[in-house]
Amino acid sequence: MSVQLINVSHIYAQGTPFEFAALKDIHFSIDKDEFIGIIGHTGSGKSTLIQHLNGLLSPTEGSVVVDGVKMGDSKGDKLALRRKVGLVFQYAEHQLFEETVFKDIAFGPKNLGLSEEEIENRVRDAMEVVGLDFETYKERSPFELSGGQMRRVAIAGVLSMKPEILILDEPTAGLDPYGKEDILRSVYQLHERQKTTVVLVSHNMDEVARLANRVIVMSSGEILMDAPPAEIFTQVEKLNEIGLGAPDIICLMRALKKAGMDVDDQIFRAEQAKEEILRALKRGEGAPCSKI
Ligand code: ADP
Ligand code: MG
């Protein structure tokens, strides 16, 4: 499926003293199989943008086009879009409310009127994707779980709707490194194995550098850059100018080059960096440790 935003502007509290233009003339489209990372500092319009992609917000100006058809204002159109485009909110665990993990994840499919069997299958599948054992956790109260586990329950609640596009708003914010890793691994596997299109909003450059195949940089309600990660993350100065950092890896490679090591300083992913550093160490000197 594809979703396009054409000339989209969004003004909050229009006509009041609190009027604020959060999106300005946005052109943007998501296509099948993409893994899009959206970066930008707080207040740049990321959350406002993604809520237009699943019909939670409507443009003040411009239009949303889904699979070539312009979205109307009807409730039916919006509901249909929300079923296909799953949105995991920032701190999604705050929206858990049922007494068991099973009931919470089953909430969406139940509202679709699916059979008990289909509901259970969907809950099982969603729990498997986020790495929660069905038998161990299904009857637990979500409120007894760790922060990372609660967030995974909340993500499973969106996955149980089998969205074609999955949007996650800062899904790792506030979690410890293991909790972050668990979630990123699940999201990446979903993209790889089930071909789910993913939109990941994050202010963590390393996460986006690692996973996305297209990166959107937002600033003051506008899309400043929209390009493959190699084009975005090598522009360290430009990122710094708008108050964003660069991935740690590219900074490391630049520091190594400056210190006299013969490495490619455009690398921004850890795996490639490791190989490049080992190659540089071996070059002409035999075993890597002979240089130390
Ligand atoms: P981000 O997700 O990048 O931090 P948001 O899309 O949440 O940015 O917000 C963009 C701007 O719109 C911010 O300046 C924010 O204060 C403002 N904003 C967000 N939601 C509302 C709202 N409901 N009413 C008024 N202003 C809002
Ligand atoms: Mg936000």
Side-chain angles (χ1 to χ4, degrees):
M1 100 180 266
S2 75
V3 182
Q4 277 176 286
L5 302 185
I6 300 172
N7 294 116
V8 165
S9 297
H10 190 88
I11 302 172
Y12 284 113
Q14 197 172 24
T16 76
F18 305 105
E19 183 168 302
F20 188 85
L23 291 180
K24 302 166 191 163
D25 201 20
I26 297 283
H27 277 275
F28 174 64
S29 73
I30 308 179
D31 291 308
K32 222 173 149 24
D33 287 342
E34 288 190 302
F35 194 126
I36 301 178
I38 302 185
I39 58 178
H41 56 73
T42 305
S44 58
K46 305 182 297 295
S47 297
T48 306
L49 175 74
I50 57 175
Q51 289 176 73
H52 282 78
L53 299 174
N54 87 331
L56 268 182
L57 287 178
S58 298
T60 311
E61 270 175 59
S63 46
V64 180
V65 175
V66 181
D67 288 333
V69 181
K70 191 176 167 208
M71 274 266 297
D73 277 334
S74 76
K75 234 180 170 170
D77 272 12
K78 286 182 184 162
L79 269 179
L81 183 60
R82 237 166 276 172
R83 274 180 201 167
K84 289 191 195 167
V85 183
L87 173 56
V88 178
F89 284 96
Q90 201 167 356
Y91 296 103
E93 63 276 18
H94 294 166
Q95 288 171 347
L96 297 173
F97 64 98
E98 292 280 9
E99 71 232 37
T100 68
V101 166
F102 185 97
K103 282 187 183 169
D104 228 305
I105 301 172
F107 182 78
K110 219 168 183 166
N111 277 347
L112 292 181
L114 301 172
S115 69
E116 292 293 323
E117 194 191 347
E118 173 66 10
I119 292 172
E120 182 171 323
N121 284 340
R122 285 190 175 210
V123 175
R124 274 180 191 277
D125 289 351
M127 287 178 73
E128 195 184 325
V129 171
V130 299
L132 289 172
D133 181 67
F134 182 75
E135 296 300 333
T136 311
Y137 290 101
K138 66 176 179 177
E139 293 304 327
R140 297 273 298 271
S141 160
F143 304 103
E144 293 166 357
L145 305 177
S146 73
Q149 288 168 334
M150 282 170 83
R151 186 143 329 150
R152 284 189 271 156
V153 172
I155 294 174
V158 172
L159 294 181
S160 65
M161 296 295 283
K162 290 195 181 289
E164 291 178 43
I165 299 176
L166 176 67
I167 306 175
L168 303 117
D169 198 352
E170 308 267 6
T172 62
L175 298 182
D176 63 45
Y178 295 110
K180 284 184 184 179
E181 244 350 272
D182 284 340
I183 285 177
L184 294 176
R185 198 179 315 115
S186 304
V187 171
Y188 194 68
Q189 282 178 0
L190 197 68
H191 175 70
E192 285 284 287
R193 294 184 189 161
Q194 299 181 26
K195 302 290 166 217
T196 306
T197 303
V198 176
V199 179
L200 173 73
V201 175
S202 175
H203 58 242
N204 184 321
M205 300 298 136
D206 297 300
E207 278 177 21
V208 176
R210 236 172 76 192
L211 301 173
N213 52 35
R214 176 178 163 203
V215 181
I216 310 283
V217 183
M218 294 202 65
S219 181
S220 308
E222 291 174 314
I223 291 180
L224 208 64
M225 297 189 247
D226 178 351
E231 240 171 84
I232 305 275
F233 291 122
T234 46
Q235 301 190 54
V236 177
E237 286 73 21
K238 195 162 175 184
L239 290 172
N240 288 340
E241 244 170 58
I242 55 164
L244 293 176
D248 289 342
I249 297 295
I250 195 162
C251 300
L252 169 69
M253 298 309 274
R254 284 183 164 206
L256 288 174
K257 183 140 195 170
K258 222 171 169 184
M261 199 175 205
D262 180 20
V263 289
D264 176 357
D265 65 353
Q266 305 284 297
I267 289 174
F268 54 90
R269 285 187 173 134
E271 260 317 295
Q272 286 162 312
K274 186 178 109 187
E275 282 174 15
E276 177 69 359
I277 292 167
L278 284 173
R279 216 174 7 243
L281 284 169
K282 280 180 185 163
R283 229 169 261 147
E285 292 288 334
C289 286
S290 65
K291 270 213 166 174
I292 299 168

